[in-house]
Amino acid sequence: MPTSRVPAAVDALLEILRAAPALADVRIVDGPPATNLTEPKQLFIGWQPDADAAVALEQDFASAGARTRDESFEIACYAETRSGDKDMALQRGAVFALVAAVETALRATDAAPTAPTLNGTVLWAQLATGNLRQVQSEGTVVGLAFTITCRARI
């Protein structure tokens, strides 16, 4: 029995997002950037600028007593779009469209009925919070730090 569903959930989230047609032109990164990346669209799973944790988790005994435990966790994520121009509104719209594609990928469909459970690794997962960052310096960079909140039974 696993001590946490975090590793499987992060792996499943990456698998779902990499298979999402709406994210086909987005560089999806597992964890922090290894170099100063300049791709126009990037999505980081398990990393946010200035964040202390990749995943914050909490566990407690389930109502069934000491036989099972409930686990709640938040996966830190960061979406970023950039361009060489100064059109902040265009990049702001683009980063929210990117995060909307993430949210859509987590919804159940006929083709992906287990998407909200991260392919059965958790009871449910949802996009929960976000913080917008905007920078103008030799172009425009807009980022949206957000979390995917999950609930699991272990």
Side-chain angles (χ1 to χ4, degrees):
M1 177 174 289
T3 191
S4 175
R5 298 304 295 160
V6 169
V10 172
D11 290 347
L13 178 60
L14 285 160
E15 180 183 334
I16 289 167
L17 298 179
R18 288 177 175 153
L23 298 171
D25 65 340
V26 177
R27 183 170 192 270
I28 300 174
V29 180
D30 183 357
T35 60
N36 185 11
L37 304 173
T38 58
E39 281 89 357
K41 295 179 185 177
Q42 301 176 84
L43 183 57
F44 299 91
I45 306 303
W47 179 79
Q48 291 175 347
D50 306 321
D52 293 330
V55 178
L57 64 110
E58 184 177 302
Q59 294 182 358
D60 201 357
F61 285 110
S63 59
R67 294 176 188 251
T68 60
R69 293 177 60 81
D70 288 328
E71 181 176 48
S72 298
F73 54 94
E74 294 181 346
I75 303 169
C77 301
Y78 183 68
E80 182 180 275
T81 63
R82 60 177 61 225
S83 71
D85 62 31
K86 301 275 185 178
D87 191 341
M88 190 66 71
L90 180 65
Q91 293 311 307
R92 188 172 41 250
V95 81
F96 272 93
L98 204 154
V99 174
V102 170
E103 186 176 23
T104 298
L106 292 177
R107 291 185 184 169
T109 64
D110 289 339
T114 62
T117 66
L118 299 180
N119 295 338
T121 62
V122 298
L123 298 172
W124 54 259
Q126 67 179 355
L127 194 136
T129 63
N131 292 301
L132 184 67
R133 301 172 73 140
Q134 302 181 131
V135 177
Q136 245 180 11
S137 175
E138 298 180 23
T140 304
V141 178
V142 176
L144 185 59
F146 63 97
T147 59
I148 303 292
T149 300
C150 303
R151 180 82 168 167
R153 175 75 40 94
I154 53 174

